[in-house]
Amino acid sequence: MASFEDALLENRVPPLLGDVRLRYDGGRLVGESLPPPWERRMLPGLCVGVGVGCAVGAAVMTGLEPGTLPVASLGLAVLAASLVGLALRLESRMARRRFVLHFRTETLRVEQLAWTPGATHARLIPFDTVRAVHMVERPGPRYALVVEHVREGETASRAVLVEDVRPAEAETLHRVWRMLSNAFGLRGAGLAGG
């Protein structure tokens, strides 16, 4: 009987699904989310820049009238803090994801990549703890691939592998869903090539 790796070599991995670029790399299936468009990447920096400008303006206004804090400078300081908070929130929404299926060790590594050093969050999920691979409908209509896993004595957890799948990619989505279901040994997915 052929291994799943052999079946994967015979059935080409689609290069792109939703917001994820897929590739097969020596015993591993790797999926990495695409970087957001440059307009979205620039927005947090713009918010921080305007926030710093507001903070400088508040400091200058406070220095003009010693002993008192003008209402305008207080407003600028609050605006500066709000803009920095907005920048952090926007940045967290742009976090990139990566997943790696290691066929030799039968583990799935799911990473939430972050721009700050040491802030990348990674989970190692053994194949035998995966209970389902779900195709979830999102508003838009868009779809996502989500892996549900349960470790003994814990509650079920979910890990998003692919987001932003368009209805036009339905065939590719179903093919990758079957491929992942077969990799995890789940029943009911049919053959990965069929």
Side-chain angles (χ1 to χ4, degrees):
M1 175 178 256
S3 71
F4 180 78
E5 268 187 85
D6 295 335
L8 190 60
L9 287 173
E10 292 173 12
N11 297 295
R12 191 176 65 81
V13 174
L16 189 66
L17 177 63
D19 69 340
V20 172
R21 186 175 293 123
L22 298 168
R23 72 179 190 281
Y24 183 72
D25 181 24
R28 301 177 305 171
L29 176 64
V30 180
E32 293 180 303
S33 63
L34 301 170
W38 72 270
E39 304 91 21
R40 286 188 54 208
R41 286 192 310 249
M42 297 302 291
L43 196 55
L46 179 64
C47 288
V48 168
V50 173
V52 167
C54 288
V56 168
V60 168
M61 288 177 72
T62 302
L64 291 177
E65 294 185 33
T68 64
L69 183 63
V71 174
S73 65
L74 181 60
L76 281 175
V78 169
L79 181 60
S82 298
L83 285 169
V84 170
L86 177 63
L88 291 172
R89 184 176 179 149
L90 291 171
E91 185 68 39
S92 70
R93 286 187 179 173
M94 286 191 284
R96 296 184 60 201
R97 299 177 320 282
R98 177 174 40 219
F99 67 88
V100 181
L101 273 78
H102 293 271
F103 296 106
R104 288 186 185 96
T105 60
E106 294 188 351
T107 56
L108 167 65
R109 181 179 173 87
V110 179
E111 299 174 347
Q112 197 71 25
L113 307 173
W115 57 275
T116 56
T120 297
H121 177 69
R123 288 186 282 177
L124 196 60
I125 303 167
F127 281 9
D128 60 355
T129 64
V130 174
R131 298 294 172 242
V133 179
H134 300 288
M135 289 184 279
V136 179
E137 188 171 357
R138 303 278 198 220
R142 299 287 180 150
Y143 298 90
L145 269 178
V146 179
V147 171
E148 182 178 331
H149 58 97
V150 180
R151 291 185 186 245
E152 193 173 320
E154 295 181 9
T155 59
S157 297
R158 290 180 169 221
V160 175
L161 301 184
V162 180
E163 278 283 3
D164 223 16
V165 180
R166 298 180 316 271
E169 297 176 290
E171 185 178 322
T172 306
L173 173 66
H174 193 71
R175 194 168 126 216
V176 171
W177 171 80
R178 280 193 318 241
M179 185 188 327
L180 292 173
S181 296
N182 287 329
F184 298 130
L186 302 174
R187 296 178 187 260
L191 296 174

